[in-house]
Amino acid sequence: RENIDDLLFKDNAAIPSLEAGITGNLNKQVYMEESSLKDFSDTEVVKRGFVVGKALNIDGADFDKGTLTFTLDKDVEIPYYMTEEGKEYPALLVGKYDEAKRDADYLPITYTTGDEFTLSADIDGRGTYFVLHVENLLKGVGLDWEETPEEPVLLGAAPEAAEIYLNGPVPVPVTVTTDEFTISEDYDRDGVDSDDELGDQIVSLDLDALMALVTGEDSTETVFGTIWMYLYDSNPVLQDSDFDGKADDADGNSHNNVFKGKLTGYLPVNNAEYTFDYLQFFQPLERYNEKIASASLVMANTIYVDSGFIYSDGTTYKDSAEIEEIEDLMEFHGFSDVIDYKLKDGYTSEKINMARYTDDDISEIGIGHHTVTYQNETKTILAVVIRGTNGTIEEWSSNFDMGDGKAGDDAVLHKGFHRTEQRIRDFVDQYTAAYGLNGAEGLTYWITGHSRGAALSNLLAADLAEDGKKVVAYTFATPATTTASKAEREGKTYDGIFNFANTCDFVTYVPLTEWDFGHYGTTYYMDIAEKQLQAEWKAQTVGEILNAEDAEKEKEREYNALKQSIIKLATSRIAGSGCATRGQLYDHIDDQWISEEEKGYISDRAMKFCVIEENTHWYELDKYTLWTSYGFLFQMGAEVLAGSDEEVANVMSLMPEFWNSEYSGVLLLLLGDVIWEDFWFLPKATLNDTLVGDGHAMATYYVLLDHYDF
């Protein structure tokens, strides 16, 4: 159980277990995970019930032999085949598929009945395994299970056949209209003729040999016949056979929509992979989908500067194995009319006109659309990828501008996030109108982002869902966004929104839960230590080692994130020191005397959150009285994190005035809790890295998603 993918225990009609004779602990050396091979999720394969439960990959230590057992769900109706002698046999087999060789073998089973039905097969090592439902296979290709044909039939012989079959772990049915399908023409208009897509290699599946395996006899009394299957290059009736957004004529591997390589950014993920499969949007979007999640994470990462994906599987785009621009990644996966929109720059074209924004509530998005048709159903996917904080004072200031919740549209929303989201929504609305998408069939909004981008994604998804739009959103390292009640923000309206929070990521704790903040949708909380993933994290995130010094640093490097207990202590100090509610954030409750010079240290941003009165009494030693608030100090914190050298110096010059301030002292204690040093002597980069370092890194979220069961 320890090394079996949790997904194999969830919504699975065939739960696997393995026995093998190897040296050492099998649970530590062999890993079983759900197969991502597209053929198993093919609509016709699923609809016709060729496979029971989930297929799985077995990997890890080499072993020569073992016994693989599947325990079937009680709802599975066991098919029995009765011979002429009246003997009954379960018409189930275990299949093994070698994707590299594109070769399937079927293995006889032993079985037990009683409270549970189990079937077991002797296997010969690593590979992809599944349970074949022989009755459904025969019925699915049009044969009568109860009565064998008078003579063997040959199925799938094109072009006369109404249905042809593609080779896979099981025969993959493709229905063709014979009066339109011509083997020598480009039936699906993907730039490749059908005969070139199918190729000239055919393999056969002997159905009578399958029945011999079912009964355990060397030969069988049945005469079902043979299925011909093409060792195809691409599907002749689909322009994009693997639904990864690349047409078959431009796809180096049209069988595969799993991409492997290196995720680049603040920290690398050296052995990363993601699945890009538009068919996933035909699945129920209110359920967590690991394939959409993996693609979302890669897109949310790529919109950052100096971040992207380096492919190691032979994939190239624009003659390069590396993609590091969001426009390129989206266009690579088939999105049209892709725009990289920066709010501070505005955007002007023949179809869209958006003025530039000059205040702090800004961001950047990648946007594009893709239309996909499958099994006579069409969907238009509109993707919006929102960048997280880019390190500027403007965006940090907006992060800390939470609003007092007392009036207006921001009453239950984080003010800075909401105002930025509304600007993004304006652009999205202009975009959908400009490109004729408002009436598009099956329009689905796919939204993703990390950090500040996650908060904006959370609000944008909620905003669209409230307007009745079909929405799916995956947000990573998500700050809280709303003070709507828990019942309201987690209601059915928002069931397509999924948020991910590392419990050792400071960003995911603000604004504080003590102020009743939370997220729209479902939020999953994860922890590297809880899953004992420190070694995995370190191996995945090792940087380039060029010399002995690099090697020594890497040897000493460990996962460095704030402990959950420390974060909770720090946030509780704020809530317990005169700021127990959101409304108290901007109460002017603390007064300090300051000089004319010190007044000049206060930035225009911080001025919005304080009151300055000129002193008139002879006993007041300084010229002004400064009435501050928590909002004021948060803004000054933003200047320490992201301001210019002058802004940082001004904050440092002003801070001595606050040593005797009750609630300002609490903030100093908070920083002491978090950093354990006198933070005034820390360089700005160190403070930033301490607060949002390893625990906040996209690489950390990749490792967490790779090992958690949602």
Side-chain angles (χ1 to χ4, degrees):
R1 177 67 177 85
E2 181 178 346
N3 259 23
I4 301 178
D5 185 354
D6 290 334
L7 292 173
L8 291 173
F9 288 87
K10 185 176 182 181
D11 300 325
N12 188 5
I15 305 297
S17 61
L18 176 67
E19 296 179 9
I22 64 172
T23 302
N25 187 339
L26 178 65
N27 287 326
K28 299 289 186 182
Q29 298 184 52
V30 177
Y31 190 81
M32 292 197 289
E33 63 182 356
E34 183 180 0
S35 172
S36 60
L37 192 63
K38 183 183 72 67
D39 289 339
F40 289 114
S41 60
D42 180 88
T43 298
E44 286 302 311
V45 170
V46 173
K47 184 169 70 175
R48 303 185 195 196
F50 290 174
V51 176
V52 180
K54 298 180 179 181
L56 65 132
N57 294 329
I58 299 180
D59 205 348
D62 291 324
F63 60 96
D64 295 330
K65 59 183 180 180
T67 300
L68 178 61
T69 298
F70 293 91
T71 301
L72 300 193
D73 188 276
K74 292 181 179 180
D75 291 335
V76 175
E77 185 175 345
I78 308 301
Y80 283 94
Y81 173 74
M82 182 177 291
T83 67
E84 290 182 354
E85 292 79 19
K87 295 181 180 179
E88 283 191 334
Y89 299 92
L92 300 167
L93 297 171
V94 170
K96 179 183 180 181
Y97 185 64
D98 186 325
E99 186 177 3
K101 297 179 180 178
R102 299 176 66 182
D103 180 51
D105 288 323
Y106 300 100
L107 311 174
I109 66 166
T110 59
Y111 64 96
T112 65
T113 60
D115 292 338
E116 296 179 320
F117 184 95
T118 68
L119 65 146
S120 302
D122 294 330
I123 64 173
D124 58 0
R126 295 179 292 179
T128 299
Y129 293 91
F130 57 96
V131 177
L132 175 69
H133 196 297
V134 179
E135 177 187 15
N136 285 349
L137 175 63
L138 293 172
K139 288 183 175 180
V141 297
L143 296 174
D144 190 337
W145 165 255
E146 301 294 339
E147 184 177 345
T148 59
E150 293 182 2
E151 59 183 46
V153 296
L154 179 61
L155 298 167
E160 295 82 6
E163 192 164 73
I164 61 176
Y165 301 94
L166 307 180
N167 183 58
V170 295
V172 179
V174 175
T175 301
V176 296
T177 304
T178 53
D179 58 351
E180 295 180 7
F181 182 76
T182 303
I183 197 76
S184 61
E185 295 182 359
D186 183 8
Y187 178 79
D188 54 9
R189 296 177 177 83
D190 62 358
V192 187
D193 287 344
S194 297
D195 54 356
D196 291 328
E197 295 196 76
L198 289 171
D200 55 8
Q201 296 186 62
I202 293 176
V203 296
S204 62
L205 175 61
D206 187 336
L207 297 174
D208 299 307
L210 280 186
M211 293 306 298
L213 289 173
V214 167
T215 61
E217 303 291 339
D218 291 336
S219 60
T220 179
E221 60 196 28
T222 63
V223 285
F224 284 112
T226 303
I227 300 176
W228 274 9
M229 300 177 294
Y230 284 91
L231 279 168
Y232 65 107
D233 292 322
S234 55
N235 192 310
V237 299
L238 297 174
Q239 293 183 346
D240 176 11
S241 295
D242 52 11
F243 294 91
D244 62 0
K246 299 185 295 175
D248 290 339
D249 63 339
D251 196 338
N253 184 354
S254 58
H255 297 280
N256 182 51
N257 52 30
V258 179
F259 297 86
K260 299 182 179 182
K262 179 178 181 179
L263 190 79
T264 61
Y266 175 80
L267 288 173
V269 178
N270 293 305
N271 295 298
E273 67 175 52
Y274 69 96
T275 301
F276 211 102
D277 182 3
Y278 284 105
L279 285 188
Q280 299 308 309
F281 293 94
F282 292 81
Q283 302 298 318
L285 297 180
E286 67 274 11
R287 299 177 187 171
Y288 171 78
N289 186 306
E290 64 172 326
K291 295 176 182 178
I292 297 179
S294 71
S296 298
L297 185 144
V298 171
M299 292 205 299
N301 179 70
T302 303
I303 198 169
Y304 282 108
V305 174
D306 299 326
S307 299
F309 203 88
I310 302 174
Y311 297 91
S312 62
D313 54 10
T315 298
T316 60
Y317 182 67
K318 295 182 178 178
D319 299 323
S320 174
E322 181 175 9
I323 291 179
E324 52 185 352
E325 300 291 341
I326 190 60
E327 308 103 301
D328 288 342
L329 182 64
M330 296 180 76
E331 289 171 357
F332 172 64
H333 284 298
F335 286 101
S336 301
D337 303 313
V338 176
I339 296 173
D340 182 1
Y341 167 51
K342 300 178 177 67
L343 276 69
K344 70 179 181 63
D345 295 337
Y347 185 83
T348 301
S349 69
E350 292 181 0
K351 295 185 174 184
I352 299 174
N353 184 26
M354 293 291 290
R356 62 188 298 264
Y357 294 100
T358 58
D359 57 14
D360 294 341
D361 297 322
I362 55 176
S363 186
E364 174 186 0
I365 69 169
I367 187 170
H369 62 94
H370 180 85
T371 299
V372 57
T373 299
Y374 189 67
Q375 298 297 324
N376 298 318
E377 183 180 0
T378 297
K379 289 185 180 292
T380 297
I381 312 303
L382 175 61
V384 182
V385 186
I386 307 180
R387 177 182 47 71
T389 307
N390 62 354
T392 62
I393 182 59
E394 290 85 2
E395 294 189 20
W396 270 111
S397 177
S398 181
N399 291 342
F400 283 125
D401 187 5
M402 290 168 269
D404 58 14
K406 294 178 179 178
D409 293 339
D410 302 321
V412 297
L413 302 174
H414 180 295
K415 178 182 174 184
F417 293 158
H418 179 228
R419 295 194 175 183
T420 309
E421 178 270 328
Q422 286 290 284
R423 293 170 175 182
I424 293 172
R425 174 68 191 269
D426 286 345
F427 187 86
V428 171
D429 287 347
Q430 279 206 36
Y431 181 92
T432 55
Y435 292 101
L437 302 176
N438 285 325
E441 186 175 356
L443 179 62
T444 301
Y445 292 80
W446 177 17
I447 303 166
T448 188
H450 169 262
S451 190
R452 173 177 170 84
L456 300 175
S457 295
N458 185 263
L459 289 179
L460 178 61
D463 191 5
L464 290 164
E466 289 165 2
D467 286 347
K469 311 294 186 184
K470 187 66 175 178
V471 176
V472 60
Y474 286 79
T475 77
F476 308 95
T478 317
T481 58
T482 178
T483 57
S485 70
K486 181 177 175 65
E488 181 181 352
R489 67 184 183 241
E490 296 179 4
K492 187 174 179 60
T493 300
Y494 314 110
D495 60 8
I497 303 174
F498 302 92
N499 315 296
F500 304 93
N502 178 8
T503 57
C504 296
D505 180 358
F506 192 90
V507 170
T508 64
Y509 288 83
V510 292
L512 308 188
T513 57
E514 289 89 344
W515 301 334
D516 297 322
F517 270 97
H519 313 97
Y520 287 106
T522 301
T523 302
Y524 298 105
Y525 295 92
M526 310 172 291
D527 180 22
I528 289 284
E530 179 185 55
K531 286 285 188 177
Q532 298 181 339
L533 296 173
Q534 295 93 329
E536 166 77 3
W537 180 90
K538 184 174 180 179
Q540 281 280 40
T541 60
V542 58
E544 189 174 11
I545 297 177
L546 301 176
N547 50 48
E549 182 180 354
D550 290 343
E552 187 61 30
K553 287 181 179 178
E554 177 56 32
K555 184 178 179 181
E556 297 177 358
R557 185 178 68 96
E558 300 293 342
Y559 175 62
N560 181 28
L562 298 171
K563 292 182 179 179
Q564 183 181 15
S565 59
I566 295 299
I567 297 175
K568 287 188 172 181
L569 173 62
T571 57
S572 67
R573 287 189 187 277
I574 299 176
S577 64
C579 195
T581 68
R582 176 191 184 187
Q584 293 175 314
L585 273 170
Y586 303 104
D587 289 348
H588 301 125
I589 58 173
D590 190 47
D591 62 302
Q592 302 291 321
W593 288 344
I594 59 172
S595 66
E596 182 75 40
E597 180 181 3
E598 289 170 325
K599 178 175 177 288
Y601 295 149
I602 301 174
S603 68
D604 291 340
R605 290 184 177 86
M607 278 287 188
K608 295 182 294 183
F609 306 105
C610 67
V611 172
I612 298 178
E613 297 176 345
E614 188 170 358
N615 294 329
T616 58
H617 299 96
W618 63 269
Y619 54 81
E620 294 173 311
L621 301 179
D622 285 306
K623 186 172 182 179
Y624 299 100
T625 296
L626 170 66
W627 293 85
T628 59
S629 64
Y630 270 95
F632 173 84
L633 289 171
F634 279 128
Q635 285 299 316
M636 299 192 77
E639 292 173 23
V640 172
L641 286 168
S644 65
D645 291 342
E646 180 181 358
E647 288 171 321
V648 174
N650 287 343
V651 173
M652 297 307 174
S653 298
L654 189 62
M655 272 299 159
E657 291 294 333
F658 296 93
W659 284 110
N660 64 343
S661 164
E662 178 182 354
Y663 66 91
S664 301
V666 169
L667 284 183
L668 297 181
L669 287 174
L670 181 155
L671 290 166
D673 290 335
V674 170
I675 302 174
W676 298 108
E677 293 185 47
D678 182 355
F679 96 104
W680 306 120
F681 300 103
L682 286 172
K684 178 171 59 176
T686 303
L687 176 59
N688 199 333
D689 290 345
T690 301
L691 289 173
V692 294
D694 293 348
H696 191 60
M698 198 57 117
T700 300
Y701 280 86
Y702 178 93
V703 173
L704 287 167
L705 260 67
D706 200 32
H707 290 276
Y708 261 77
D709 172 23
F710 300 107

